[in-house]
């Protein structure tokens, strides 16, 4: 995405039309550009408003680090510092962003730098993180039980594979 892909009227990032007539569903992708020297977003797509609840104007008016969870600021600063050189990129970096109602959403980032501008795509992985936490808690509480058993070939009686069975007990 470049400055040419920025829609001046709406402030949203726009993708050029595909000559083959295909369209991309970018509703879940949070697209942005940012000025790392100023520490501010310079353009955002509509998904930011849907995911975080802030208007794009509110998000661009304040330093982006003001929206980052306090426990994630150090890692976010380190990641931003890595992107100070042209051509540098970062993938699968995760941090939490504050929502307008005071909650937090986990974002997974892919960011590239041209030296002066950061170009990023983030996806909301909050539900994924919550599911992982529930599974870890179930394992820790002994509610998630896994058992492996062999799959035996009838003709030879030899094990040819293993089947993993997983059961979750209801909490008492």
């Amino acid at each position: 995405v470049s400055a040419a892909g920025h829609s001046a009227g709406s402030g949203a990032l726009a993708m050029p039309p595909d000559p083959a007539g295909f369209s991309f569903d970018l509703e879940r992708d949070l697209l942005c550009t940012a000025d790392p020297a100023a520490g501010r977003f310079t353009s955002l797509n509509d998904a930011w408003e849907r995911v975080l609840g802030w208007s794009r104007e509110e998000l661009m008016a304040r330093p982006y680090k003001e929206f980052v969870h306090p426990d994630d600021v150090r890692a976010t600063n380190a990641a931003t510092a890595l992107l100070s050189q042209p051509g540098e990129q970062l993938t699968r970096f995760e941090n939490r962003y504050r929502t307008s109602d005071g909650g937090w959403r986990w974002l997974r980032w892919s960011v590239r730098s041209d030296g002066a501008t950061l170009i990023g795509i983030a996806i909301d992985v909050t539900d994924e993180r919550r599911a992982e936490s529930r599974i870890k808690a179930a394992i820790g509480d002994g509610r998630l039980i896994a058992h492996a058993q062999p799959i035996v070939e009838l003709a030879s009686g030899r094990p040819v594979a293993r089947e993993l069975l997983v059961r979750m007990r209801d909490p008492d």
Side-chain angles (χ1 to χ4, degrees), residues 96-112:
R96 288 165 284 185
Y97 263 66
R98 181 186 321 272
T99 62
S100 63
D101 65 4
W104 298 96
R105 303 299 295 182
W106 280 97
L107 303 181
R108 180 177 298 144
W109 292 89
S110 292
V111 184
R112 185 169 187 90

Side-chain angles (χ1 to χ4, degrees), residues 43-93:
S43 62
L44 301 162
N45 69 338
D46 292 340
W48 286 88
E49 293 180 3
R50 282 190 302 279
V51 171
L52 298 180
W54 303 99
S55 71
R56 286 176 289 179
E57 292 76 18
E58 290 172 307
L59 288 162
M60 290 188 288
R62 296 170 33 197
Y64 49 76
K65 290 177 187 164
E66 286 186 19
F67 297 97
V68 173
H69 190 282
D71 293 344
D72 298 336
V73 169
R74 180 173 288 153
T76 301
N77 287 341
T80 304
L82 290 173
L83 294 165
S84 63
Q85 297 299 315
E88 290 296 320
Q89 61 184 6
L90 181 70
T91 57
R92 301 190 60 81
F93 175 77

Side-chain angles (χ1 to χ4, degrees), residues 102-149:
W104 298 96
R105 303 299 295 182
W106 280 97
L107 303 181
R108 180 177 298 144
W109 292 89
S110 292
V111 184
R112 185 169 187 90
S113 173
D114 68 5
T117 302
L118 302 178
I119 302 155
I121 300 171
I123 58 171
D124 181 0
V125 294
T126 305
D127 293 339
E128 183 180 318
R129 283 289 197 124
R130 287 181 183 151
E132 288 172 9
S133 292
R134 285 193 302 273
I135 290 169
K136 286 178 183 176
I139 291 168
D141 296 345
R143 291 183 293 121
L144 187 66
I145 303 163
H147 173 71
Q149 66 184 26

Side-chain angles (χ1 to χ4, degrees), residues 12-23:
L13 294 175
M15 299 295 291
D18 186 313
F22 295 106
S23 65

